[in-house]
Amino acid sequence: MRTLMIKTHEAWLEMLMAGSMSRTENRQTLLDFSDILFRHFTWIEHEFICRNETYNYDRDAIPVKVTRLGDILKNITIRLNEIDLQLLSTEDKALTERISSDIRYMTGVLQHMKDETVTAFSMQRKFPDLTLTQEATDALTLFLFEETYKEYELIMIYNYLKAHSEDAYLNRIFQILIDESFFHLKSFCDMSAKMGILAVPRVVMKELYQIEDVTQFLRDGIDEEFAAKEECRKLSEAVAKDSPELEKFFDFINNQENYHIALMENALKHFLKKTNV
């Protein structure tokens, strides 16, 4: 089961990277498939919890640097076939059939997907149809590297909290925050790919998501969201002269942080009330 969970985690991220690097109609299909694989990941995680077995989100490195999309699609297909073989040893036959059915469909689609040239790793650091100053380019590059990892980290944290909570109100908030982080992660990966600096987020340390003090995590998280707002504000100002479109986008992300803060404040109030703190 642990090998199955690791391989599913890796396939989900590799599929997400493939979707990010595609510049054709392949993109949406690949991103949709990555969402399916993330759901598989949560189903497998649920099995661990039902069995009262310990687990973590560790995984191996995921090499994704290719010049042709077909190359990474072949690698993903190999991963999916390995997952399908791992399923033979699982006890939950209903889970096995659900995942195996999805894999059969996805591998069939991938085999017939049109190939395309990949420029997501060119390191040119140039945004299409825009000429940014060196200052703006550096600011955007740093932001994308840091925030791509941060959004992946948040998905892992909120998913772990949701998986281990039976509180419907808190789980609703955690799911919204997961969805919000997915939107940001996909947006930032797309921008990174366009600039030629796409990279797989580094592994999240288990100490970050295996949280013992939820109230302190939420308090710290609120502070981090305020800090993220400031980073968005700075970046918006840095790109404003060169690109009103990017300025508006990062103002939009900045304002979304207000919603995240409100959600976390509501979660904190609910948790404190529930635990009578």
Side-chain angles (χ1 to χ4, degrees):
M1 282 290 287
R2 285 181 175 80
T3 300
L4 178 61
M5 188 173 194
I6 291 171
K7 288 184 177 297
T8 303
H9 189 169
E10 293 169 352
W12 154 49
L13 278 180
E14 189 168 13
M15 192 78 80
L16 177 63
M17 293 296 108
S20 300
M21 65 182 72
S22 173
R23 303 266 66 92
T24 71
E25 67 273 9
N26 294 332
R27 171 180 168 78
Q28 190 56 56
T29 299
L30 293 168
L31 292 179
D32 288 342
F33 283 176
S34 76
D35 289 340
I36 291 173
L37 288 168
F38 180 75
R39 289 196 290 274
H40 290 178
F41 178 74
T42 64
W43 295 347
I44 297 166
E45 178 178 29
H46 183 67
E47 284 300 300
F48 275 100
I49 294 171
C50 288
R51 296 181 185 187
N52 199 30
E53 294 182 20
T54 59
Y55 68 93
N56 57 50
Y57 291 157
D58 287 352
R59 58 173 171 79
D60 294 329
I62 307 172
V64 296
K65 290 187 177 181
V66 295
T67 57
R68 304 293 303 180
L69 186 71
D71 291 335
I72 195 168
L73 297 186
K74 290 177 184 176
N75 293 338
I76 292 172
T77 299
I78 291 171
R79 286 189 188 275
L80 292 179
N81 288 332
E82 289 174 347
I83 290 171
D84 208 20
L85 287 174
Q86 287 290 322
L87 287 168
L88 296 175
S89 62
T90 59
E91 298 176 4
D92 189 332
K93 298 309 176 185
L95 174 66
T96 295
E97 180 52 35
R98 290 201 306 273
I99 295 178
S100 185
S101 176
D102 288 348
I103 286 175
R104 288 195 298 272
Y105 176 73
M106 287 188 288
T107 53
V109 172
L110 295 181
Q111 288 173 4
H112 296 93
M113 192 167 277
K114 292 182 180 179
D115 197 9
E116 58 183 285
T117 301
V118 172
T119 59
F121 310 103
S122 66
M123 297 302 291
Q124 290 185 354
R125 297 204 306 151
K126 292 182 179 180
F127 212 83
D129 303 320
L130 287 178
T131 302
L132 300 176
T133 64
Q134 188 64 49
E135 178 186 4
T137 299
D138 291 344
L140 182 56
T141 300
L142 181 61
F143 178 91
L144 291 173
F145 274 129
E146 291 181 344
E147 293 304 314
T148 297
Y149 166 74
K150 189 62 182 179
E151 296 301 339
Y152 169 63
E153 176 189 283
L154 289 174
I155 290 169
M156 294 289 92
I157 292 172
Y158 291 131
N159 185 70
Y160 193 90
L161 288 172
K162 180 174 180 284
H164 290 270
S165 170
E166 296 182 356
D167 187 301
Y169 182 80
L170 286 176
N171 281 351
R172 174 180 172 274
I173 290 177
F174 291 147
Q175 185 59 57
I176 293 172
L177 290 168
I178 291 169
D179 293 341
E180 292 282 298
S181 286
F182 261 118
F183 170 71
H184 287 187
L185 176 61
K186 290 175 182 177
S187 297
F188 299 154
C189 283
D190 179 58
M191 296 176 75
S192 296
K194 287 178 178 176
M195 293 186 70
I197 56 172
L198 183 65
V200 179
R202 64 185 181 276
V203 176
V204 180
M205 295 185 297
K206 63 182 180 180
E207 290 80 8
L208 293 175
Y209 53 82
Q210 294 180 351
I211 297 165
E212 296 182 2
D213 189 341
V214 177
T215 58
Q216 189 58 50
F217 161 73
L218 290 170
R219 289 190 177 103
D220 292 342
I222 291 168
D223 290 339
E224 289 182 9
E225 292 292 345
F226 276 112
K229 282 178 59 61
E230 179 62 16
E231 291 303 312
C232 286
R233 185 193 64 78
K234 290 179 180 178
L235 187 55
S236 176
E237 290 182 354
V239 300
K241 294 180 181 179
D242 303 323
S243 173
E245 292 81 7
L246 284 179
E247 178 190 18
K248 291 176 183 177
F249 174 76
F250 287 111
D251 283 341
F252 160 66
I253 297 296
N254 184 348
N255 290 328
Q256 281 198 318
E257 303 294 358
N258 294 330
Y259 181 43
H260 303 167
I261 290 167
L263 286 168
M264 296 178 76
E265 288 175 340
N266 288 341
L268 179 59
K269 289 177 184 177
H270 179 81
F271 193 84
L272 291 174
K273 183 178 181 181
K274 179 182 176 181
T275 54
N276 296 315
V277 176

